[in-house]
Amino acid sequence: MSRRIKRTDPKPRSRDERKEARPFKARSAKPAGLRPGSKPGAKPPRFASERVERRAPKAEPEKAAPAKPVEVLLPTKVQTVKVTADENNMRVDRFLEAHFPGLSFSHIQRVVRKGELRVDGKRVDSKDRLEEGQSVRIPPLKLDTPKAPNPQSEAAQKTLAALKEMTIYEDDDVLVLNKPAGLAVQGGSGMTRHIDQMLEVMRDSKGQKPRLVHRIDRETSGCLLVAKTRFAASHLTGAFRSRSARKTYWALVPGLPKPKQGRISTFLAKEESEDDTIMRIAQHGDDGASHAVTYYAVVETAGNKLTWVSLKPVTGRTHQLRAHMEHIGHPIVGDPKYFNIENWQLPGGLQNRLHLLARRIVIPHPRGGFIDATAPLPQHMQQSWNLLGLDASRFDPIENAPEE
């Protein structure tokens, strides 16, 4: 389990969506060293450039330093602020939030609606976008008086404790949860308990509730990112939109994918029936079809019968990884929607549950640096790893896959 913020700046690579599934190419001609425990004469990893051996885990997990309270200085008289290059294309309400984090949503909407805030001398809407160099006239502002917190019920306290138990990383702006398999992210037909509903107990004194930034399937466990403020929600959503977020998934599949590292590029479209909804492989131009790209890599095999694969989705389509692995003939073990291999028997001791984990997420932090969170294997996958003799500490070759 990792709880840290990295300060390195990744370099995005070029994008190529024209080719169908193709193997990765090593980025260096130098051979990588043998993996721990490999036999003499074994082939080095095909994926990547030379890498440093995995370091031993620290005795104490690294923790982020507690964030210092932000001192909010509100203008007591009219002032004019220039829009910087970093604020180009920012919404008016997000601009105010960024400059004055203590302002309530209602106060922001009020000063904009009344025309007290002007951009280049003109009235604007809170959703209008600003441009670099524009002058923003800001009226005198004041913080709303915080409401006294209401005592929580016993049920609310239990929900809050459950969220704390799931927490992998938390600061003033961001929360990363280790969502358990079987718990939905959002509500649906007949759904009474889900993450979005549980977050109600985390409303602050101004009534602001943490916001979901992305979603993972109900039966998938692992990293789920939540924004605790509107400011963070805007930045994190933008990072997903610009594909600055890097996600890694682990899965168990039957057989051995060939090649061992590759790129899956297809179009996906929703197919609905009376009983179910799935994503099918579609053609460019089909109604509702969206392009989807996934990189995959074989990490370790168990007698060529089952394989642990690591997956990196470039796009974020519904059921993308599940549909893509089924497309190349290796559906994820325990998948009730996409596993359709006839006469295939689950090895004894393995649970017939979806073996898919949102293992890791790396994303720019709204206030600088990077959030880098890792989720452990859920109980049913840890059981399978133990029975199959798979080593969860092995080097993950998907780290060297392209970003696009």
Side-chain angles (χ1 to χ4, degrees):
M1 183 179 299
S2 173
R3 302 184 184 181
R4 60 187 183 279
I5 296 180
K6 290 188 177 180
R7 299 283 172 178
T8 54
D9 291 322
K11 297 181 179 180
R13 299 181 177 85
S14 60
R15 182 180 181 185
D16 181 7
E17 298 178 340
R18 294 175 295 177
K19 296 184 179 180
E20 293 295 327
R22 70 170 190 266
F24 287 75
K25 293 183 179 179
R27 293 203 296 271
S28 172
K30 297 179 183 180
L34 292 176
R35 294 172 178 164
S38 59
K39 297 180 180 179
K43 293 183 178 179
R46 294 176 56 228
F47 249 58
S49 56
E50 212 171 342
R51 64 179 177 83
V52 180
E53 289 295 327
R54 179 178 292 275
R55 291 174 291 181
K58 296 181 181 180
E60 291 290 335
E62 186 179 347
K63 296 182 179 179
K68 295 181 180 179
V70 179
E71 183 180 359
V72 182
L73 299 176
L74 297 180
T76 57
K77 60 182 180 179
V78 174
Q79 64 172 315
T80 301
V81 178
K82 287 283 187 180
V83 179
T84 66
D86 290 340
E87 295 165 338
N88 186 54
N89 202 39
M90 183 181 285
R91 282 174 39 158
V92 170
D93 53 359
R94 307 300 187 205
F95 178 85
L96 278 176
E97 271 189 346
H99 282 265
F100 310 107
L103 278 181
S104 68
F105 175 77
S106 59
H107 195 165
I108 291 173
Q109 297 300 315
R110 184 165 61 250
V111 299
V112 174
R113 185 177 63 252
K114 289 183 176 181
E116 296 174 0
L117 181 141
R118 302 273 178 140
V119 177
D120 288 344
K122 299 177 181 178
R123 296 178 68 114
V124 292
D125 187 84
S126 60
K127 296 181 180 179
D128 288 346
R129 302 279 176 172
L130 297 171
E131 296 180 3
E132 180 184 357
Q134 286 183 320
S135 297
V136 182
R137 175 194 181 276
I138 300 175
L141 302 171
K142 64 178 181 179
L143 288 173
D144 290 350
T145 304
K147 297 178 182 178
N150 295 322
Q152 290 184 327
S153 66
E154 183 179 351
Q157 291 175 5
K158 288 182 178 179
T159 299
L160 188 60
L163 288 170
K164 294 298 181 185
E165 182 69 21
M166 297 179 204
T167 300
I168 298 174
Y169 172 83
E170 183 176 15
D171 61 27
D172 290 342
D173 296 291
V174 181
L175 180 69
V176 183
L177 301 176
N178 176 22
K179 187 193 80 67
L183 179 61
V185 173
Q186 285 186 303
S189 178
M191 200 80 63
T192 57
R193 180 178 169 83
H194 49 84
I195 295 292
D196 195 37
Q197 173 261 331
M198 294 174 70
L199 291 173
E200 289 286 345
V201 301
M202 293 186 67
R203 286 187 181 273
D204 61 19
S205 59
K206 301 182 183 68
Q208 299 300 314
K209 167 188 164 185
R211 296 162 170 80
L212 297 168
V213 177
H214 67 125
R215 292 148 187 79
I216 56 179
D217 295 341
R218 179 178 181 177
E219 296 305 325
T220 302
S221 63
C223 295
L224 180 69
L225 191 65
V226 177
K228 296 173 66 176
T229 62
R230 288 191 300 270
F231 169 76
S234 175
H235 281 260
L236 295 174
T237 302
F240 273 93
R241 191 182 301 116
S242 64
R243 297 180 184 172
S244 300
R246 302 199 302 275
K247 295 179 288 182
T248 301
Y249 288 74
W250 283 2
L252 189 68
V253 301
L256 177 62
K258 294 182 180 180
K260 290 187 176 181
Q261 302 92 23
R263 177 179 185 268
I264 308 169
S265 175
T266 71
F267 284 84
L268 295 175
K270 186 176 293 186
E271 186 174 271
E272 295 182 310
S273 64
E274 293 182 1
D275 302 324
D276 206 356
T277 300
I278 64 170
M279 301 301 290
R280 62 174 177 82
I281 303 300
Q283 299 299 317
H284 179 53
D286 286 357
D287 186 31
S290 299
H291 189 220
V293 177
T294 301
Y295 287 97
Y296 73 89
V298 170
V299 184
E300 193 173 2
T301 63
N304 288 335
K305 184 176 178 63
L306 290 166
T307 300
W308 161 20
V309 294
S310 188
L311 305 164
K312 178 185 284 188
V314 175
T315 52
R317 312 303 179 198
T318 302
H319 296 177
Q320 176 177 316
L321 302 180
R322 299 162 66 181
H324 270 174
M325 294 311 295
E326 190 276 335
H327 174 62
I328 66 171
H330 300 278
I332 299 172
V333 169
D335 193 331
K337 290 180 180 285
Y338 297 92
F339 196 100
N340 54 8
I341 300 178
E342 293 184 4
N343 302 321
W344 191 85
Q345 297 295 322
L346 189 71
L350 272 65
Q351 297 183 45
N352 189 24
R353 300 179 64 186
L354 182 65
H355 282 59
L356 180 62
L357 166 70
R359 171 66 174 178
R360 183 183 180 194
I361 186 166
V362 182
I363 190 170
H365 194 285
R367 301 190 187 276
F370 278 80
I371 301 163
D372 188 346
T374 302
L377 288 165
Q379 188 276 330
H380 70 282
M381 288 182 67
Q382 184 63 67
Q383 179 180 330
S384 299
W385 258 238
N386 293 341
L387 290 170
L388 298 171
L390 302 176
D391 180 6
S393 66
R394 286 184 71 103
F395 169 70
D396 188 347
I398 207 70
E399 292 181 11
N400 295 301
E403 298 301 333
E404 296 206 22

